[in-house]
Amino acid sequence: MKRKPGARRPTLVPRAAPPQQPQAPARPMSFSQRRQVQLAQGAADAAVAEGVPLHQAGRLADAEICYRRALALDAAHPEALHLLGLLAYQLGRADLALPLIEQAIGVAADRPSYHLNHGAVLRALGQPEAAIAAWRQALALRRDYPEAWNNLGVALQALGQLDEATNCFECAVRLAPGYAEAHFNLGVAWQAARRPELAVTSYRAALAIQPAYVAARYNLGNALREGEQFEEAAAAYRAALALDPEHVDAQNNLGVALQALGDRDGAIACFARTIELQPDNPQAHTNLGHLLRDRGRFDEAMQAYRRALALNPDDTVAHSGLIFVLDHHEGATPADRLAERRAWDAQHARPLTAAAAARPHLNTPDPARKLRVGYVSGDFYYHSAAAGFVPVLLGHDRDQIEAVCYATLTKTDAQTARISQGVPLWRDVTALTDAAVAEQIRADGIDILVDLGGHSSSGRLGIFARRPAPIQVTAWGYITGTGLDAVDYLLADPVTVPPEAEHWYSERVAHLPSIVCYEPTTQVPDVVPSPMLDCGYVTFGSFNRATKLSDEALDLWARVVAAVPDARMLLKSPGLDDAENRARILAAFAARGVGSERIDILGQTNRYDHLAAYGQVDIQLDPFPHVGGATTFDGLLQGVPCVTLLGELIQGRLSASFLALLGLDDLIARTPDEYLAIAGRLAHDPARLAAERTTLRERLFASPLADTETYTRSVEALYRRFWHAWCAARSHGVHRPHNHECPALTPDPSPTCGRGETGRWLPSHVCNTGGEG
């Protein structure tokens, strides 16, 4: 399946520094100087001059007395009006400040500082457009005014005019290289523009001027983390905490950086400290839930997610995290899993879906015309999920389908370039809100919109909730059902979703001859002979991610290994670098009398070496209740057969679908005892293991799983059926066809069949959802 949701992107939107207030336009004067001013400029000027040093010293009440005395002497004294307005602004009374500063401008409109502070007051009163006009007027009077450039940039960035805001901050730092706040704001702008390397430079410039600038330390950490410089990010967060030990966001984000570095104990400590500092911080509870989940502590993870949701019921990340845990929890029933998905829909999606219903889609209902199909994903890179959908994206018949990719990227690589250059239209919408992406999809006239992320970290179901396309589908990515009323179809097959299980999904289930067309990485190791032929003992293995290693699966695997003399177990995945996960595994095997000397645990390697490690394994043992997806495929590709336990929902039936397609349905168990018996029989059949080793890859490539052209045509045929149903409904005045109004969605049966509960398997329709096992 697809990868787990990652830690919630914890970077709080960097706060631009408030507009810098100018210094009062006078310096403290000596008594003799004040006397000269009184004589030369009059008593009003003298009163203002007397108030200025008081104002600068923070003695605002005394300064106010002086300014009001000046106004008593000269009701139109511009500087007294201006400074009294500035004082009111500083006291939080922008409403009182506004008429005073505007009166000052009415008397002396040629003073840039008046317009600068006029803009600050207008912005505080929620009038950003008027504030921008004021700052532009200040710059018209004085082009080399760095404070005005800075403040104008802050306002423009708040309005989303990022390029112009960046130019403003660059002008400010060019005019005043020692202006720390302008460097900071330029860093904020670069981060918003997804240029973390430039943001780092700006924050470091601000810190060179003002080393104790806590916000710059914190934002530096965020920018470094976005650039995947996790060690340096952690150091920046620690520096911020040294200056402000109760900086909640720095504490939380330090935990995220440590998690990325593999220091899960340190990360848990950070999130616990964040909760100690701020018990009602939902984000910290969510992040803690992710880590607990990754260690198989599902009950504790669910408690953390539920606490986050109690604090913030609108937290879609925590809610999807809870759904993700339920998909892996042995104690969760299909009803539990569907109910939580429907709760997600009710809380986060239905109001948006209802609002969207008032906006009919304007797509031309011509059944035969070329279709625009949009794909939404954050996995447009060398990710296991992409192996299942890239052949479709790049293989569409361009006379029939125009593919549009909406990329919500956290990572890019050569695969990203391959996809972006291989589709007719590519849109990077990472920085856009769900609402903005939905509007773009409507503007693009998308006919069918396909979700490739579901409730995983790369999912953007908020886009689909707004129903920007007349037909919406979930497929290939984290395909366990969305629960959304706004998603019409789920692509599955009769093995992963047999007819009796369709009621566990809110979507209409549509079947393909082969759900996935597997595209392995460009370079794969050669298949090597079964290792038991040389060493004389069998090696079982699982390369699935740690989240899938349920206590029940570990216990059954321990029984399998204990029952086969001299057998060994090899486990490998990135999460197994974690000491707690390793200890949990060893303890489970020890409880069944299997010593640690028979267990090998390996962590993360590069992709090629990961596949090559299957050369040390004779038999894959599939986890449950969440079975392998791409990991099962990887093992089959390397000639390693898999024993699986058939579950109730998609996440428990993927491997069964793959095995049935390849004629290996005798490796599919329906009970743990049958699983144990199948593994034992296979372990004692070296001849079969040798034969499977030499033929599995060839059979895999000869199967529908590798026929990219036929597979893509099958997908397109389904899209066309969906479109015909919508057009027919439109012709009858129905906005969205109900399930019973849709045409038959199951294609002709595949000739590949095998033994099943009633004596025959249904045609094997493989559904690979990608992911790290």
Side-chain angles (χ1 to χ4, degrees):
M1 300 294 288
K2 244 192 61 56
R3 75 185 190 283
K4 59 191 175 297
R8 179 179 184 178
R9 188 179 184 190
T11 307
L12 302 181
V13 176
R15 297 186 300 273
Q20 177 179 322
Q21 299 304 316
Q23 294 294 314
R27 296 181 178 180
M29 298 182 183
S30 66
F31 177 81
S32 61
Q33 288 174 323
R34 288 202 304 273
R35 180 63 179 162
Q36 290 174 357
V37 169
Q38 289 174 343
L39 294 173
Q41 298 181 357
D45 285 351
V48 169
E50 184 179 349
V52 166
L54 299 170
H55 195 160
Q56 293 173 328
R59 296 170 58 183
L60 302 186
D62 293 335
E64 181 180 358
I65 292 172
C66 294
Y67 300 151
R68 291 198 181 279
R69 189 167 73 248
L71 289 175
L73 295 167
D74 180 358
H77 194 287
E79 195 65 6
L81 290 165
H82 168 240
L83 292 177
L84 190 60
L86 176 59
L87 188 150
Y89 170 82
Q90 292 171 322
L91 290 172
R93 294 302 306 271
D95 56 326
L96 298 179
L98 183 63
L100 291 166
I101 293 179
E102 288 184 342
Q103 287 180 61
I105 292 173
V107 177
D110 60 344
R111 299 189 185 182
S113 63
Y114 292 7
H115 295 282
L116 179 78
N117 285 338
H118 187 211
V121 171
L122 289 166
R123 184 168 185 262
L125 290 171
Q127 301 179 45
E129 297 288 355
I132 287 171
W135 288 321
R136 292 194 189 281
Q137 181 59 36
L139 290 166
L141 295 168
R142 180 186 162 191
R143 201 66 183 165
D144 62 342
Y145 202 164
E147 291 83 5
W149 283 114
N150 176 73
N151 288 6
L152 178 59
V154 170
L156 291 171
Q157 183 168 349
L159 293 177
Q161 299 176 39
L162 190 56
D163 289 342
E164 191 174 355
T166 302
N167 291 335
C168 289
F169 297 135
E170 288 179 326
C171 287
V173 299
R174 188 164 53 247
L175 291 167
Y179 191 175
E181 189 171 65
H183 286 287
F184 174 87
N185 286 342
L186 180 56
V188 172
W190 285 130
Q191 268 190 281
R194 297 178 61 215
R195 296 294 303 275
E197 72 285 357
L198 296 178
V200 165
T201 300
S202 292
Y203 293 138
R204 284 181 171 154
L207 289 166
I209 301 162
Q210 189 176 324
Y213 200 156
V214 176
R217 295 277 177 198
Y218 168 68
N219 274 11
L220 174 62
N222 291 339
L224 289 165
R225 184 179 49 77
E226 289 174 13
E228 299 188 357
Q229 297 173 264
F230 298 114
E231 289 277 7
E232 293 184 64
Y237 292 135
R238 288 191 175 105
L241 288 166
L243 294 166
D244 180 3
E246 297 189 355
H247 195 302
V248 172
D249 296 329
Q251 189 72 61
N252 179 77
N253 289 10
L254 174 59
V256 174
L258 293 177
Q259 183 178 2
L261 290 168
D263 182 2
R264 293 175 178 82
D265 289 334
I268 288 175
C270 284
F271 298 140
R273 173 60 177 158
T274 303
I275 292 168
E276 179 184 339
L277 290 170
Q278 193 176 69
D280 60 350
N281 185 317
Q283 187 172 302
H285 288 283
T286 298
N287 287 343
L288 181 60
H290 294 333
L291 280 170
L292 294 169
R293 174 205 62 205
D294 291 349
R295 285 181 158 175
R297 294 159 63 177
F298 295 147
D299 290 331
E300 294 174 77
M302 288 195 296
Q303 183 180 2
Y305 289 135
R306 292 194 188 282
R307 177 59 178 156
L309 288 168
L311 293 167
N312 179 15
D314 295 328
D315 188 341
T316 59
V317 175
H319 210 158
S320 287
L322 178 59
I323 289 169
F324 198 89
V325 169
L326 287 172
D327 284 349
H328 291 75
H329 199 301
E330 181 69 14
T333 66
D336 294 333
R337 292 164 182 150
L338 177 59
E340 204 59 61
R341 284 168 165 79
R342 298 299 286 160
W344 197 104
D345 184 48
Q347 178 65 35
H348 311 295
R350 284 183 202 165
L352 301 173
T353 306
R359 301 177 62 190
H361 295 99
L362 303 178
N363 308 59
T364 304
D366 177 357
R369 71 171 174 81
K370 185 177 183 178
L371 299 177
R372 299 197 93 193
V373 179
Y375 294 94
V376 180
S377 179
D379 297 325
F380 292 129
Y381 62 96
Y382 277 115
H383 184 279
S384 50
F389 57 72
V390 167
V392 176
L393 300 187
L394 302 184
H396 275 309
D397 178 351
R398 295 200 176 191
D399 291 332
Q400 297 295 321
I401 301 289
E402 180 182 358
V404 182
C405 288
Y406 297 92
T408 60
L409 298 168
T410 57
K411 179 179 179 180
T412 60
D413 58 20
Q415 177 83 308
T416 312
R418 178 188 174 214
I419 298 170
S420 64
Q421 295 166 13
V423 296
L425 181 58
W426 169 274
R427 293 196 185 280
D428 183 348
V429 296
T430 307
L432 300 184
T433 64
D434 288 347
V437 178
E439 288 303 314
Q440 182 64 66
I441 290 167
R442 276 186 175 269
D444 289 339
I446 297 299
D447 301 307
I448 300 175
L449 189 66
V450 184
D451 158 52
L452 299 174
H455 286 286
S456 75
S457 61
S458 65
R460 293 284 293 269
L461 292 177
I463 297 169
F464 289 80
R466 292 167 168 82
R467 192 168 260 291
I471 300 168
Q472 302 195 144
V473 179
T474 183
W476 301 306
Y478 189 65
I479 183 171
T480 58
T482 66
L484 269 64
D485 289 338
V487 177
D488 304 295
Y489 300 104
L490 180 149
L491 300 187
D493 62 68
V495 173
T496 52
V497 185
E500 64 271 19
E502 291 188 8
H503 67 284
W504 296 123
Y505 302 91
S506 62
E507 303 88 353
R508 176 83 153 100
V509 178
H511 293 152
L512 283 164
S514 173
I515 282 293
V516 69
C517 191
Y518 184 61
E519 183 183 66
T521 52
T522 53
Q523 291 185 337
V524 295
D526 292 336
V527 174
V528 300
S530 184
M532 72 175 300
L533 299 178
D534 288 332
C535 65
Y537 57 82
V538 70
T539 300
F540 297 101
S542 171
F543 288 12
N544 289 274
R545 52 182 163 79
T547 311
K548 293 186 178 181
L549 307 187
S550 67
D551 291 341
E552 294 79 8
L554 290 173
D555 181 67
L556 183 54
W557 292 351
R559 292 173 60 196
V560 168
V561 175
V564 179
D566 299 323
R568 298 180 66 89
M569 183 76 185
L570 172 62
L571 299 102
K572 183 181 187 302
S573 81
L576 299 187
D577 291 321
D578 180 69
E580 184 172 319
N581 277 329
R582 296 165 71 93
R584 183 169 68 93
I585 292 166
L586 293 175
F589 279 88
R592 290 288 183 175
V594 179
S596 59
E597 72 280 358
R598 298 172 67 184
I599 311 299
D600 293 306
I601 303 177
L602 304 177
Q604 186 169 11
T605 60
N606 63 48
R607 173 69 174 161
Y608 185 90
D609 290 343
H610 183 78
L611 291 175
Y614 279 103
Q616 305 173 50
V617 178
D618 297 289
I619 302 167
Q620 295 187 76
L621 295 182
D622 211 21
F624 59 88
H626 204 307
V627 302
T631 297
T632 302
F633 261 128
D634 288 343
L636 296 171
L637 182 69
Q638 295 305 119
V640 184
C642 178
V643 180
T644 190
L645 180 63
L646 189 68
E648 297 176 279
L649 301 178
I650 287 177
Q651 56 266 40
R653 302 175 73 93
L654 297 170
S655 297
S657 181
F658 308 158
L659 294 173
L661 181 65
L662 296 173
L664 297 173
D665 45 276
D666 65 316
L667 302 184
I668 303 168
R670 288 171 180 74
T671 66
D673 286 343
E674 187 179 359
Y675 186 108
L676 179 64
I678 291 171
R681 285 198 303 270
L682 193 58
H684 288 93
D685 193 349
R688 178 173 179 182
L689 290 175
E692 300 291 7
R693 202 76 170 199
T694 58
T695 63
L696 265 178
R697 178 178 288 187
E698 181 181 354
R699 285 151 57 196
L700 184 67
F701 284 138
S703 76
L705 298 176
D707 186 352
T708 59
E709 183 175 354
T710 300
Y711 173 67
T712 304
R713 298 294 86 78
S714 297
V715 172
E716 291 169 350
L718 264 189
Y719 287 167
R720 187 61 63 179
R721 293 185 186 189
F722 299 163
W723 181 246
H724 284 175
W726 185 79
C727 291
R730 281 292 298 271
S731 69
H732 291 91
V734 178
H735 177 64
R736 176 187 178 191
H738 297 290
N739 287 346
H740 67 271
E741 296 168 337
C742 297
L745 298 175
T746 305
D748 294 335
S750 159
T752 304
C753 297
R755 181 172 51 81
E757 292 181 68
T758 57
R760 299 287 289 175
W761 276 100
L762 287 168
S764 178
H765 300 254
V766 181
C767 175
N768 172 36
T769 61
E772 295 130 13

